């Protein structure tokens, strides 16, 4: 069997398994197995596949056909020019998360260094690493509680953090965590927290179901982490500091209300690439300030 025939066989198996993007998935797995992207398969597809090449590719096709997330099979996923390590136990970074990172970076431009920030529910470290890549002079503590995710956080910050992102174990939902972890008042507080309503998790896409539910579950109304951020963490942001969070598409009004009550002003809602509400940002002015 040639490489091209093997690729087509894998693509057809994924299509029959009901995968959403069989062409893309098969191309990614071919590149992982053979070091050849789609163009490479076109150019070299007439070459007979070696047994090890066929086995490696078809084993990954079988995993994907069982709806194991493509990112977990590949072992890494791109985010803002970084190839971040991912796998079971950590949420894969999404392209839409770039919205909250860039919105926060815009508010931090032209501020004098050094700057100090915290990224809550850090997961792979995508948010903290992405923000530091855009804001020179910023260093961050990246807070993650789950041990499986923390291992990926350490790996990614070691590779891309340049000593500016420190992985920290901590439970964001506990009132005393900020005082225990933070070394000084924050210039920026950012988070992509769990925000899916608990009742909605069982009906999510099968691949998403394979990701850690603790990284998705935002409680009954999806707002548990925003309440904790507003109550426990915003008071540790210095006046004039930046607050930025990713949100679900129907949560802007509720999240803005929580942050307004916590003394965050100049609140703004930012849309993702599909035109849906995806982030809320604001500036801390102190308790009692008008939004």
């Amino acid at each position: 069997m040639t490489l091209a025939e093997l690729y087509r066989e894998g693509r057809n198996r994924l299509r029959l398994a009901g995968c959403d993007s069989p062409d893309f998935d098969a191309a990614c797995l071919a590149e992982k197995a053979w070091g050849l992207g789609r163009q490479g398969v076109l150019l070299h597809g007439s070459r007979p596949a070696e047994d090890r090449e066929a086995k490696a590719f078809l084993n990954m096709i079988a995993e994907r056909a069982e709806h194991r997330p493509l990112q977990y099979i590949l072992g890494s996923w791109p985010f803002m020019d970084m190839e971040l390590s991912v796998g079971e136990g950590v949420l894969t970074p999404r392209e839409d998360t770039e919205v909250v990172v860039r919105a926060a970076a815009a508010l931090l431009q032209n501020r004098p260094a050094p700057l100090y920030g915290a990224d809550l529910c850090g997961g792979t470290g995508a948010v903290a690493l992405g923000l530091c890549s855009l804001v020179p002079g910023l260093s961050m503590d990246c807070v993650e509680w789950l041990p499986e995710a923390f291992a990926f956080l350490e790996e990614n910050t070691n590779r891309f953090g340049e000593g500016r992102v420190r992985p920290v174990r901590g439970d964001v939902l506990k009132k005393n965590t900020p005082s225990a972890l933070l070394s000084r008042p924050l210039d920026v507080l950012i988070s992509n927290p769990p925000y899916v309503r608990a009742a909605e998790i069982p009906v999510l896409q099968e691949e998403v179901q394979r990701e850690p539910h603790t990284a998705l579950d935002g409680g009954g109304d999806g707002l548990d982490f925003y309440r904790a951020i507003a109550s426990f963490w915003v008071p540790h942001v210095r006046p004039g500091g930046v607050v930025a969070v990713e949100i679900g598409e129907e949560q802007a009004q509720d999240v803005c209300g929580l942050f307004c009550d916590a003394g965050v002003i100049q609140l703004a809602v930012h849309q993702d690439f599909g035109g849906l509400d995806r982030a809320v940002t604001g500036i801390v002015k102190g308790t009692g300030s008008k939004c």
Side-chain angles (χ1 to χ4, degrees):
M1 184 177 286
T2 66
L3 291 178
E5 290 170 335
L6 196 58
Y7 166 78
R8 288 193 292 270
E9 171 68 18
R11 181 189 61 190
N12 291 338
R13 290 187 188 184
L14 296 183
R15 184 176 290 119
L16 290 172
C19 294
D20 289 339
S21 51
D23 288 17
F24 175 78
D25 292 1
C28 289
L29 297 176
E31 185 167 8
K32 175 76 171 178
W34 312 327
L36 296 175
R38 187 175 297 180
Q39 188 65 28
V41 173
L42 290 174
L43 292 173
H44 305 286
S46 60
R47 177 171 69 80
E50 298 178 7
D51 289 345
R52 60 176 180 80
E53 292 177 319
K55 183 177 180 180
F57 179 67
L58 292 177
N59 283 345
M60 290 190 290
I61 288 290
E63 290 183 67
R64 186 70 189 101
E66 293 293 325
H67 295 274
R68 185 184 180 207
L70 174 67
Q71 299 89 340
Y72 288 0
I73 301 171
L74 297 175
S76 66
W77 198 247
F79 183 79
M80 293 183 64
D81 299 323
M82 298 173 289
E83 191 73 19
L84 299 177
S85 295
V86 299
E88 274 78 9
V90 73
L91 192 70
T92 299
R94 268 69 168 175
E95 185 180 19
D96 286 339
T97 297
E98 192 172 329
V99 175
V100 70
V101 174
R102 294 194 177 276
L107 292 174
L108 291 169
Q109 293 303 313
N110 302 318
R111 298 197 179 200
L115 297 169
Y116 171 56
D119 170 24
L120 309 182
C121 309
T124 60
V127 169
L129 291 166
L131 187 57
C132 283
S133 75
L134 298 176
V135 183
L138 172 64
S139 62
M140 300 194 73
D141 285 338
C142 193
V143 183
E144 175 58 53
W145 180 241
L146 300 175
E148 297 86 355
F150 195 78
F152 289 101
L153 175 59
E154 288 187 306
E155 181 177 349
N156 289 322
T157 53
N158 285 337
R159 288 180 61 199
F160 299 106
E162 299 179 342
R164 295 166 56 199
V165 179
R166 182 174 73 114
V168 179
R169 287 289 304 280
D171 187 346
V172 170
L173 295 176
K174 289 190 175 180
K175 185 176 182 179
N176 63 347
T177 300
S179 297
L181 295 184
L182 301 178
S183 61
R184 59 187 186 275
L186 297 167
D187 297 291
V188 57
L189 175 65
I190 191 168
S191 181
N192 176 19
Y195 55 72
V196 179
R197 295 181 180 90
E200 295 176 355
I201 292 177
V203 297
L204 294 175
Q205 184 183 28
E206 187 173 350
E207 284 79 357
V208 180
Q209 296 276 3
R210 301 287 189 93
E211 297 191 83
H213 287 194
T214 46
L216 302 168
D217 189 349
D221 60 1
L223 300 173
D224 283 0
F225 282 82
Y226 301 109
R227 292 189 187 93
I229 291 169
S231 298
F232 309 153
W233 293 87
V234 168
H236 291 267
V237 182
R238 68 175 71 253
V242 172
V243 175
V245 293
E246 182 169 326
I247 60 169
E249 61 192 67
E250 299 176 349
Q251 294 174 320
Q253 182 175 350
D254 289 331
V255 172
C256 284
L258 289 169
F259 284 174
C260 179
D261 290 344
V264 182
I265 62 172
Q266 299 179 36
L267 289 159
V269 179
H270 307 263
Q271 281 73 44
D272 62 22
F273 306 111
L276 301 174
D277 291 345
R278 190 55 62 198
V280 167
T281 61
I283 303 296
V284 171
K285 193 66 175 179
T287 303
S289 298
K290 294 182 179 180
C291 299

